[in-house]
Amino acid sequence: MDLDCKDRHAACLFKETFCDGGGSLKIWKRNCPSRGGDNRSSVEGITGRVFSFSKGAFQDVLENNYESLHVLNVERNGNIIYTYKGDKGHIFFGLYDCKTRQNEHLYTFEKDLQVVSCSVNSERTLLAASLAQSTKEGRRNELQPGSKCLTLLVEIHPINNVKVLKAVDSYIWVQFLYPYVESHPLSENHLLLISEEKYIEKYHIQVTQEDGNRVVIKNSGHLSRDRIAEDFVWAQWDMSEQRLYYIDLKKSRSILKCIQFYADESFKLMFEAPLDISLSDSGFKLVNFGCDCRQGQEKLSKHLTLCVFTNHTGSLCVCYSPKCASVEQITYSVFYIHKGHSKTFTAALGSAGTHVTKGITFLNLDYYVAVYLPGHFFHLLNIQHPDLICHSLFQAGNNEMIDMLPHSPLQSLSGCLVLDCCSGKLYRALLNQSYLLWFLWNTCLDCEKMAALHCVLSCGRGLRVLEGQIIQWVSENVSACHSFDLIQEFIIASSYWSVYPETSNVDKLLPYSSVLTWNTDIPGITLVTEDIELPLMKVHTFKGYWEKLNSNLEYVKYTKPHLHYNNSVVRREWHNLISEEKTGKRRSTAYVRNILDDAIKVISNLEARNLEPRLTPLLQEEDKHQRLLMGLMVSELRDHLLRHLQGVEKKKIEQMVLDYVSKLLDLICRILETIWRKHNLHSSVLHFKGHGGAAEFAVFHVMTRILEATDSLFLPLPPGFHTLHTILGVHCLPLHNLLHYIDSGLLLLTETAVIRLMKDLDNTKKNEKLKFSIIGRLPPLIGQKICRLWDHPMSSNIISRNHVTQLLQNYKKQPWNSVIDKSSFRVEFLPLNYFIEILTDIESSNQALYAAQGHDNVDAEFVEEAALKHTTMLLGL
């Protein structure tokens, strides 16, 4: 996507790409998941058409039986199991290998049966299938008498025996467990059986090799099994993480439980969490135990939807949509268990009489949960930072985002997979950055700008090109937002995401937004937030995800005040250092030196990351005040993280702090570079001569907005920023406006800028007025230094005044005893003569002190000459 993204047509939020290539049954999936199904490294959204046909062994069968082609399951390694019916009604089982992109025939049942569920082990040696008798009128019962569902275990490497696991009058679902380690064949496989009679069992299946590669079941007459759960009303299988969630009812309370399965054959009950929802009359419901294409639209729209989502940061969300009864609005809830509260959203459906014919789909999109009601709305909920509603994106009605999404019922599978039940297409739902950038350029609502900005940064963190496109948008829209400061929000959010993946708990310690409260309503959305009971963890040692979840729960449980870092301490300490500098007092030089050394590290770190030459003269100037501020921020932020980040190496924290502060400065530099490049400014702008045009004024305006944004947060600016800002201010502003900017603090005079001003401008009447106004506003120490560079009566006058003030500040009147040779005075002006005599007397009596202070040949005679020249100038003589 080029930089001018605002002029491009929007892409679909979920991008669809069609496959090509050989293979009889092509199931296309880009960025196929690795073991565990984790696809977080992918940054581009894709949706793939499940089936396309080309020449191959099964081409005729498939083309003639397309309607019978169904996806049954997507295993943890990404392989897809599907079935289709042959001309004679036989059921064919096939597997698509996502790594080799080849299809493999697994097994054929020579009976016309309905497949309820199917799973294959990781070695593809065992196939578990649950079959139901055909319901077509006049068709005889194909199963054992009295049974409704037959569950079989088949040896398929090569095809050998078939063992009946269950023959019962209730539906059975099957699922093989997939261990993390797949480097060698397992001697024992584990199979979950989920019964409609509300129990779950785990079968232990030992296998052995005979006659070479022939794999057979050992002790097939008696397979040991464990009862995992019973008396539940709802269950969900997390394929990628090998977790089982289920809900049982205790005294009409819905208790969510989770069992974690491990590679060493063990399993543990991890937690119990009460949910404030009623499932007593909802019937039996399963999620993610294969693909159920038989759900009708009517069933989807009238029955509740419940699912659990997690991600690698330790989040745990329960998404719940009750039965839909209203034709005007629909309600759903998200329990942010890792945050200790729930949010209930009520979305208007538009005009009265609008009927909901399709069910809500919840999608897991890493840092977000998408809530989609075909034809009505698409909501993108921020689960990492759900505190403010403006961090979530709400789209409703007729717009391009909703129009481009599938309008048929969707079934969410493990990970980011989604099945379109009508078309049979399988999607991997990932956010499309191109569309989000287009949306960022074109939306008008502040809440949508805020949400889209955070969404783009979170799903494309670390991508410099993407960040550059956002910077262009920021630089052209600095005044477009009324509810928040766009520059502040971008700097804080982007800096946060630049270091967020490095360690856990950073989200609790670093600010991710400049907005503390949001009081503006979101059109069409009402929201109720409630505290919830935290889950009771049933284990005592945690690893991986569970350690992060437990850390989140501990934070909610014991940490009441927010621990987000702010610069209040830095502000106070910086003002103290500046005050000490003005009064000539300064604490130990070692303390100040350490602070300045931290600033040097930041600038070195920043320059090492930026290999391109800069257009603007930033980071090339000393600017001690900004370096002090920079070093203080490094020092205070490092102490803050060291206090609260337990178990993280000090060296890692120090590098994280340097990266964070460097990122702040880099973003400011890049915003300025972008606007500089846009207006094609050149080096002549860096001199005080000449007048500024529209380009200089545009850059000056952006710099002023940057200054306002950083000042309220008390963030450092790159050295050289204030000098450049002053130069542009002199170019663009009338004198009275310029002085007003200086007096109000919007323009900060630096020594470099004033020295350049004195050298660049001649002594015309207009320039003299400007120079004198500038010098009069400088701190005394800098003012004295600057005056010595300006050979002008005004400058001499100022030097003389400062000299006199310094001499007389401790002067005590002495009895008159004139020893001065009056013949040395050229003018008989008694008041001046008397004053000069006093100064000469002070100088002669304190000659050692006077010489030590080094006054650059400023003495009573210099004062006399300056006074006479100034008087002459004032009288016009």
Side-chain angles (χ1 to χ4, degrees):
M1 183 175 180
D2 57 20
L3 293 178
D4 196 18
C5 56
K6 62 182 179 180
D7 295 326
R8 297 192 55 175
H9 191 271
C12 179
L13 186 66
F14 301 132
K15 199 190 315 178
E16 182 167 5
T17 308
F18 295 95
C19 60
D20 55 11
S24 59
L25 174 62
K26 191 70 173 178
I27 303 176
W28 193 93
K29 296 198 306 130
R30 186 177 177 181
N31 295 325
C32 189
S34 61
R35 300 185 193 97
D38 188 355
N39 196 31
R40 288 188 295 272
S41 61
S42 171
V43 295
E44 236 187 29
I46 67 100
T47 59
R49 186 174 181 179
V50 181
F51 307 116
S52 68
F53 303 103
S54 57
K55 293 181 179 180
F58 303 136
Q59 180 182 11
D60 295 337
V61 175
L62 293 175
E63 288 182 346
N64 295 331
N65 298 276
Y66 182 81
E67 295 299 325
S68 69
L69 198 59
H70 293 295
V71 173
L72 287 179
N73 204 352
V74 182
E75 301 289 7
R76 187 183 188 188
N77 53 18
N79 294 341
I80 301 174
I81 306 174
Y82 54 89
T83 64
Y84 58 92
K85 289 186 179 181
D87 294 335
K88 299 180 179 179
H90 298 169
I91 304 295
F92 293 88
F93 287 78
L95 180 142
Y96 175 77
D97 190 320
C98 71
K99 295 178 181 177
T100 64
R101 299 195 176 188
Q102 298 295 320
N103 295 281
E104 176 183 335
H105 175 253
L106 295 178
Y107 196 75
T108 302
F109 282 103
E110 296 181 354
K111 295 181 183 295
D112 187 3
L113 301 171
Q114 177 184 347
V115 182
V116 176
S117 176
C118 181
S119 182
V120 67
N121 65 347
S122 57
E123 294 82 21
R124 304 182 200 175
T125 57
L126 299 176
L127 174 71
S130 185
L131 309 171
Q133 63 178 342
S134 176
T135 57
K136 292 182 181 180
E137 187 176 354
R139 179 84 63 174
R140 64 182 179 84
N141 188 353
E142 301 282 356
L143 305 177
Q144 297 180 8
S147 64
K148 176 181 177 182
C149 185
L150 184 66
T151 304
L152 304 176
L153 183 61
V154 182
E155 298 170 352
I156 59 173
H157 189 65
I159 296 175
N160 298 309
N161 299 322
V162 176
K163 175 177 174 55
V164 177
L165 295 179
K166 295 280 185 179
V168 293
D169 195 22
S170 60
Y171 283 123
I172 299 288
W173 288 261
V174 291
Q175 177 61 59
F176 274 104
L177 298 182
Y178 275 64
Y180 283 95
V181 180
E182 299 179 4
S183 58
H184 59 276
L186 300 175
S187 60
E188 186 171 83
N189 289 264
H190 304 278
L191 177 70
L192 293 181
L193 260 68
I194 303 91
S195 172
E196 195 177 23
E197 294 180 350
K198 301 180 180 179
Y199 66 84
I200 300 176
E201 294 179 332
K202 176 186 176 185
Y203 278 75
H204 305 272
I205 307 167
Q206 291 187 343
V207 294
T208 184
Q209 288 189 351
E210 295 180 356
D211 301 331
N213 293 327
R214 182 170 176 265
V215 178
V216 297
I217 301 172
K218 194 175 180 180
N219 298 327
S220 61
H222 178 73
L223 299 178
S224 62
R225 55 187 173 178
D226 301 318
R227 182 63 63 99
I228 302 296
E230 55 188 6
D231 296 330
F232 63 91
V233 295
W234 172 94
Q236 174 180 317
W237 176 242
D238 187 336
M239 178 71 73
S240 61
E241 303 298 338
Q242 299 288 279
R243 297 177 193 141
L244 172 68
Y245 301 94
Y246 65 98
I247 292 178
D248 61 15
L249 302 178
K250 292 183 178 179
K251 297 181 180 179
S252 298
R253 295 192 74 192
S254 299
I255 307 296
L256 174 66
K257 299 180 180 181
C258 177
I259 291 177
Q260 174 73 68
F261 293 93
Y262 296 96
D264 62 356
E265 306 177 15
S266 63
F267 59 91
K268 293 180 181 179
L269 176 63
M270 301 304 297
F271 68 79
E272 294 182 355
L275 298 177
D276 188 19
I277 56 177
S278 177
L279 298 179
S280 57
D281 59 346
S282 62
F284 182 75
K285 176 86 173 182
L286 293 179
V287 179
N288 286 354
F289 285 100
C291 304
D292 185 3
C293 301
R294 296 165 298 164
Q295 300 181 80
Q297 292 189 11
E298 195 70 19
K299 180 180 178 182
L300 284 170
S301 63
K302 290 187 177 181
H303 285 69
L304 65 84
T305 302
L306 179 67
C307 55
V308 178
F309 293 142
T310 63
N311 74 6
H312 63 286
T313 65
S315 67
L316 176 61
C317 290
V318 179
C319 304
Y320 169 68
S321 176
K323 297 177 182 179
C324 180
S326 173
V327 296
E328 298 180 355
Q329 61 186 23
I330 193 166
T331 298
Y332 64 89
S333 299
V334 179
F335 295 81
Y336 302 93
I337 293 180
H338 59 294
K339 296 290 185 179
H341 63 257
S342 68
K343 292 182 182 292
T344 299
F345 300 88
T346 301
L349 294 180
S351 59
T354 304
H355 294 286
V356 178
T357 59
K358 299 162 183 143
I360 276 185
T361 300
F362 294 102
L363 306 175
N364 187 5
L365 300 178
D366 204 9
Y367 296 107
Y368 289 85
V369 164
V371 187
Y372 178 50
L373 183 62
H376 293 278
F377 63 72
F378 179 89
H379 298 167
L380 202 57
L381 306 181
N382 191 321
I383 61 173
Q384 201 64 25
H385 305 298
D387 303 329
L388 297 178
I389 190 174
C390 58
H391 290 148
S392 299
L393 182 62
F394 300 91
Q395 292 288 285
N398 296 320
N399 60 41
E400 292 184 354
M401 182 184 291
I402 294 178
D403 288 342
M404 291 183 179
L405 289 170
H407 281 222
S408 53
L410 299 178
Q411 182 182 354
S412 177
L413 307 177
S414 287
C416 301
L417 292 179
V418 185
L419 179 65
D420 185 337
C421 298
C422 290
S423 67
K425 293 180 181 179
L426 188 67
Y427 297 86
R428 183 168 296 283
L430 301 176
L431 292 171
N432 188 325
Q433 292 175 2
S434 297
Y435 177 82
L436 288 169
L437 281 170
W438 178 90
F439 184 80
L440 201 60
W441 278 98
N442 290 276
T443 184
C444 297
L445 297 178
D446 281 3
C447 58
E448 293 181 346
K449 293 174 184 176
M450 170 83 79
L453 174 63
H454 280 267
C455 191
V456 175
L457 289 173
S458 66
C459 67
R461 57 189 180 278
L463 297 178
R464 195 170 178 86
V465 174
L466 177 66
E467 204 169 55
Q469 295 171 341
I470 303 174
I471 287 173
Q472 180 182 343
W473 173 73
V474 170
S475 64
E476 295 189 20
N477 294 274
V478 289
S479 303
C481 299
H482 305 287
S483 304
F484 64 99
D485 188 305
L486 182 56
I487 294 177
Q488 279 186 356
E489 192 66 16
F490 170 64
I491 290 175
I492 293 298
S494 185
S495 300
Y496 164 82
W497 283 109
S498 69
V499 300
Y500 173 74
E502 295 184 18
T503 186
S504 59
N505 295 325
V506 169
D507 59 322
K508 306 175 186 64
L509 303 175
L510 289 178
Y512 51 85
S513 174
S514 64
V515 177
L516 300 178
T517 59
W518 185 272
N519 300 319
T520 307
D521 293 334
I522 306 294
I525 295 292
T526 57
L527 172 64
V528 176
T529 302
E530 297 177 317
D531 291 336
I532 60 175
E533 293 184 54
L534 296 180
L536 174 64
M537 302 302 292
K538 307 294 286 187
V539 295
H540 302 290
T541 57
F542 305 98
K543 291 183 180 180
Y545 165 81
W546 297 110
E547 183 179 8
K548 294 177 182 178
L549 173 61
N550 187 63
S551 175
N552 289 333
L553 298 177
E554 293 292 307
Y555 175 79
V556 174
K557 192 182 302 182
Y558 298 112
T559 309
K560 295 301 180 184
H562 288 295
L563 295 177
H564 286 152
Y565 169 83
N566 66 72
N567 273 349
S568 58
V569 177
V570 173
R571 183 190 298 268
R572 183 172 62 251
E573 185 67 6
W574 187 81
H575 283 304
N576 289 340
L577 288 174
I578 299 303
S579 299
E580 292 169 2
E581 183 183 76
K582 291 179 179 179
T583 58
K585 300 176 182 179
R586 177 60 64 86
R587 65 191 74 181
S588 69
T589 56
Y591 173 74
V592 177
R593 186 171 60 250
N594 290 336
I595 292 175
L596 294 177
D597 286 345
D598 284 336
I600 292 173
K601 292 177 184 177
V602 170
I603 294 176
S604 299
N605 190 54
L606 175 56
E607 293 294 357
R609 292 169 175 263
N610 182 59
L611 302 178
E612 300 177 359
R614 296 192 185 276
L615 299 175
T616 53
L618 300 179
L619 305 172
Q620 302 171 11
E621 182 183 317
E622 184 64 26
D623 198 346
K624 192 173 182 180
H625 286 179
Q626 288 305 310
R627 288 178 181 254
L628 282 174
L629 181 55
M630 200 185 306
L632 281 172
M633 184 174 180
V634 171
S635 177
E636 293 298 330
L637 181 56
R638 180 174 55 225
D639 291 345
H640 178 76
L641 295 182
L642 285 172
R643 273 194 305 272
H644 301 292
L645 275 183
Q646 303 298 325
V648 181
E649 295 180 0
K650 182 179 179 181
K651 186 176 181 180
K652 183 176 182 180
I653 290 178
E654 289 181 347
Q655 187 60 48
M656 187 190 308
V657 171
L658 289 178
D659 291 342
Y660 183 81
V661 181
S662 300
K663 187 67 174 182
L664 287 171
L665 295 170
D666 182 54
L667 293 172
I668 295 170
C669 292
R670 291 173 64 189
I671 292 174
L672 191 52
E673 293 262 315
T674 299
I675 195 72
W676 192 275
R677 187 180 295 106
K678 177 185 176 182
H679 293 285
N680 197 26
L681 295 186
H682 41 79
S683 58
S684 62
V685 177
L686 304 179
H687 300 282
F688 280 92
K689 296 179 180 179
H691 298 283
E696 285 88 347
F697 189 83
V699 176
F700 176 76
H701 172 68
V702 172
M703 293 189 73
T704 303
R705 293 305 304 267
I706 292 173
L707 186 64
E708 292 172 341
T710 54
D711 183 64
S712 61
L713 297 176
F714 213 72
L715 300 176
L717 288 164
F721 181 93
H722 289 299
T723 296
L724 181 58
H725 194 209
T726 300
I727 293 173
L728 292 174
V730 172
H731 281 317
C732 300
L733 298 176
L735 180 59
H736 65 281
N737 286 49
L738 177 69
L739 299 180
H740 175 71
Y741 270 56
I742 294 173
D743 294 337
S744 61
L746 288 175
L747 277 176
L748 297 182
L749 298 174
T750 63
E751 186 175 328
T752 303
V754 179
I755 290 175
R756 192 177 299 176
L757 182 141
M758 295 298 166
K759 292 181 177 180
D760 284 357
L761 298 183
D762 56 22
N763 288 329
T764 63
K765 186 174 181 180
K766 181 179 179 181
N767 289 343
E768 283 182 352
K769 187 175 182 181
L770 170 62
K771 289 180 178 181
F772 182 71
S773 300
I774 294 295
I775 289 177
R777 286 166 167 79
L778 292 174
L781 293 178
I782 299 179
Q784 292 180 28
K785 182 177 180 181
I786 298 301
C787 286
R788 289 172 174 77
L789 300 176
W790 186 24
D791 185 16
H792 191 271
M794 285 289 187
S795 178
S796 299
N797 184 36
I798 294 172
I799 294 172
S800 299
R801 288 181 180 182
N802 291 333
H803 177 72
V804 170
T805 300
Q806 187 173 0
L807 287 179
L808 296 181
Q809 61 185 352
N810 295 318
Y811 172 69
K812 293 182 180 179
K813 187 175 181 180
Q814 303 293 331
W816 176 257
N817 182 20
S818 178
V819 295
I820 303 173
D821 182 8
K822 296 182 181 181
S823 63
S824 64
F825 298 105
R826 298 184 298 274
V827 179
E828 285 294 332
F829 184 40
L830 294 181
L832 178 61
N833 293 347
Y834 178 74
F835 180 62
I836 296 302
E837 285 182 15
I838 295 174
L839 294 182
T840 305
D841 186 38
I842 296 173
E843 291 174 359
S844 61
S845 60
N846 298 278
Q847 191 66 37
L849 175 64
Y850 179 73
Q853 291 177 344
H855 284 224
D856 294 339
N857 298 321
V858 179
D859 54 13
E861 184 177 353
F862 180 89
V863 173
E864 181 189 22
E865 292 178 0
L868 290 174
K869 287 180 180 179
H870 187 59
T871 303
T872 302
M873 186 179 66
L874 291 177
L875 295 176
L877 298 178

